[in-house]
């Protein structure tokens, strides 16, 4: 377990330099990655490159626990673009596992659908987006749900969709959900407008 802590600590240290916030203590075993922390005067750009190299090194190994440690660190730092671009097949497994363990974790599900979109898996992305839009007690606004449904429709209408025969029913279902959400939005806007007008008349 120490190796995983050291990896996280090394990433934290390098990241703190990268973002000009050198408040993290240097790991006690800097020789874990040969030479990576020997230079205490690293520039932000050098630190950024080292973070990238360390992440690539960790993900290239066959240790799935190491992958999980790195993915969790990247997502905690909101490095979503980098996570998706640098992650391998284990990233999908990690995101699915995290999503199932916390079904209301909108952030993880959003990363998952972005991962699918990035890799051209538009049907899977649409399923996640539709699921997000239908998630109860998620704290999403009606506008958020409309946005997710709109993205789901865009995925299912993509010319790059690898399984177009499967998307007809799904597209109709999402269109129905989108119509209902749009009607709800119209009613909500009318109610809000009426309340404002009522206050103005008082």
């Amino acid at each position: 377990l120490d190796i995983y802590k050291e990896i996280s600590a090394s990433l934290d240290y390098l990241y703190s330099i990268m973002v000009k916030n050198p408040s993290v203590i240097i790991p006690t075993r800097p020789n874990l990655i040969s030479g990576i922390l020997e230079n205490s005067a690293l520039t932000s750009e050098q630190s950024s490159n080292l973070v990238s190299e360390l992440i690539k090194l960790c993900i290239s190994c066959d240790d799935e626990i190491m992958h999980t440690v790195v993915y969790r660190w990247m997502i905690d730092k909101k490095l979503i673009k980098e996570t998706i671009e640098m992650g391998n097949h284990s990233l999908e497994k990690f995101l699915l596992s995290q999503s199932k363990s916390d079904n209301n974790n909108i952030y993880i599900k959003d990363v998952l659908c972005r991962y699918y979109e990035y890799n051209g898996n538009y049907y899977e992305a649409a399923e996640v987006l539709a699921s997000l839009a239908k998630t109860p007690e998620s704290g999403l606004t009606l506008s958020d749900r409309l946005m997710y449904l709109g993205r789901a429709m865009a995925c299912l209408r993509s010319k790059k969709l690898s399984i177009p025969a499967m998307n007809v029913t799904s597209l109709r279902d999402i269109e129905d959900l989108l119509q209902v959400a749009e009607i709800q939005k119209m009613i909500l806007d009318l109610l809000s407008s009426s309340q404002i007008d009522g206050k103005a008349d008082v």
Side-chain angles (χ1 to χ4, degrees), residues 13-145:
Y13 173 67
L14 292 169
Y15 185 78
S16 72
I17 298 174
M18 190 177 83
V19 297
K20 303 293 185 181
N21 181 26
S23 60
V24 181
I25 298 173
I26 299 176
T28 56
R29 285 160 53 189
N31 292 325
L32 179 65
I33 306 298
S34 180
I36 198 168
L37 298 177
E38 291 175 0
N39 185 355
S40 60
L42 291 170
T43 66
S44 178
E45 183 176 358
Q46 288 172 329
S47 296
S48 176
N49 289 331
L50 286 171
V51 166
S52 177
E53 289 302 316
L54 182 53
I55 288 171
K56 288 178 181 177
L57 181 62
C58 291
I59 293 176
S60 67
C61 72
D62 294 328
D63 186 347
E64 287 198 6
I65 297 178
M66 181 72 77
H67 295 186
T68 296
V69 168
V70 171
Y71 292 146
R72 185 170 286 127
W73 181 88
M74 294 177 77
I75 289 174
D76 285 345
K77 291 292 186 290
K78 301 191 184 305
L79 301 172
I80 306 307
K81 179 176 178 290
E82 293 81 358
T83 304
I84 292 170
E85 291 181 356
M86 297 174 71
N88 61 16
H89 61 278
S90 63
L91 177 57
E92 179 184 9
K93 183 177 179 180
F94 166 76
L95 292 171
L96 286 171
S97 174
Q98 294 294 302
S99 178
K100 288 177 182 177
S101 64
D102 183 3
N103 193 47
N104 289 324
N105 193 327
I106 303 301
Y107 184 53
I108 288 292
K109 286 187 176 182
D110 188 69
V111 176
L112 178 60
C113 71
R114 291 178 189 277
Y115 167 81
Y116 283 139
E117 287 173 320
Y118 178 80
N119 287 286
N121 299 326
Y122 295 107
Y123 184 78
E124 290 83 353
E127 284 190 319
V128 177
L129 288 163
S131 172
L132 273 170
K134 294 185 290 185
T135 302
E137 301 178 3
S138 59
L140 292 175
T141 65
L142 192 52
S143 295
D144 292 331
R145 297 181 192 279

